[in-house]
Amino acid sequence: MHQSRETWEDTQVRVLEDGFEHQGERFTSLSPIARRITGTAWSGPKFFGLRLDRGKDRPA
């Protein structure tokens, strides 16, 4: 299983094969994590600085 960790300021997000983990909770998308961090609606990939593939909400 491939795993990696991404950090935004002091916040770590673990990238899993089937989603993401943030503070011990699993998510299927980055957007709810971005919302939890900021308190407002965000595109998760945009918030974490990931490039989007031609307007689709998927990292390139």
Side-chain angles (χ1 to χ4, degrees):
M1 173 159 61
H2 174 73
Q3 294 184 358
S4 67
R5 290 179 191 251
E6 298 297 327
T7 302
W8 182 82
E9 294 190 1
D10 289 331
T11 301
Q12 286 192 352
V13 175
R14 202 161 103 199
V15 180
L16 308 172
E17 272 186 40
D18 60 347
F20 307 92
E21 184 179 278
H22 172 64
Q23 295 182 335
E25 190 173 345
R26 289 184 179 234
F27 297 86
T28 57
S29 165
L30 287 171
S31 296
I33 300 170
R35 179 184 296 253
R36 180 171 289 178
I37 292 168
T38 65
T40 60
W42 268 88
S43 159
K46 190 172 193 175
F47 175 78
F48 287 100
L50 301 175
R51 194 179 76 200
L52 297 180
D53 182 37
R54 298 184 186 171
K56 296 178 186 173
D57 196 17
R58 294 184 177 173

